[in-house]
Amino acid sequence: MAWLELREGGWDRGAAATFAVLGAADGALLGAVRLSWVDRADGLALIGYWTLPAVRGRSVATRAVRAVTSWAFETADARRIEIAHATGNEASCRVAHRCGYPAEGTLRDSHRYGDGAYHDEHLHARLAADPEPAHIAA
């Protein structure tokens, strides 16, 4: 998988861990989740995710983000993980909430998207000490 091979070594460099999200039946690529360190020594990380349009609405991102979140807290010594998404991206907001990341505020002009302009983002965060979220159906 060339896409994943390009990201190999990120963890060894202390920068990020990228996980491919694969279909259980056929191993097809459905999306990805990436845990990037903001400050590894302090345990502060950022999680990002995407899924193919064909699998959206089927809890693929929710299951993947929950799995990587658990891994990061239990194995990678993360203390705080943040999710930031465009303010208009309601699907990402739902994923964050379902994964136990409460909203903390709006980051103004925080990220440059593909259109070249800076956009506001919602910030969500979860602490290692926070309880696991209850199972929420899609």
Side-chain angles (χ1 to χ4, degrees), residues 37-45 73 76-81:
W37 289 109
V38 176
D39 185 337
R40 191 169 186 178
D42 191 37
L44 177 59
F73 287 144
D77 295 324
R79 174 189 61 81
R80 174 184 167 94
I81 304 173

Side-chain angles (χ1 to χ4, degrees), residues 4 7 10-11 14-19 33-37 46-48 68 71:
L4 200 54
R7 284 139 185 90
W11 191 252
T18 303
F19 301 87
V33 179
R34 178 181 171 98
L35 181 83
S36 302
W37 289 109
L46 179 68
I47 210 166
V68 173
W71 171 82

Side-chain angles (χ1 to χ4, degrees), residues 9-102:
W11 191 252
D12 293 336
R13 290 189 308 277
T18 303
F19 301 87
V21 179
L22 305 175
D26 60 4
L29 181 66
L30 305 178
V33 179
R34 178 181 171 98
L35 181 83
S36 302
W37 289 109
V38 176
D39 185 337
R40 191 169 186 178
D42 191 37
L44 177 59
L46 179 68
I47 210 166
Y49 47 91
W50 61 267
T51 58
L52 294 173
V55 300
R56 292 180 186 156
R58 299 191 331 206
S59 296
V60 171
T62 298
R63 290 191 308 272
V65 169
R66 281 184 179 218
V68 173
T69 297
S70 293
W71 171 82
F73 287 144
E74 295 167 11
T75 305
D77 295 324
R79 174 189 61 81
R80 174 184 167 94
I81 304 173
E82 298 176 345
I83 293 174
H85 63 80
T87 55
N89 188 339
E90 293 180 22
S92 280
C93 201
R94 285 190 300 273
V95 169
H97 283 289
R98 288 178 179 145
C99 294
Y101 287 78

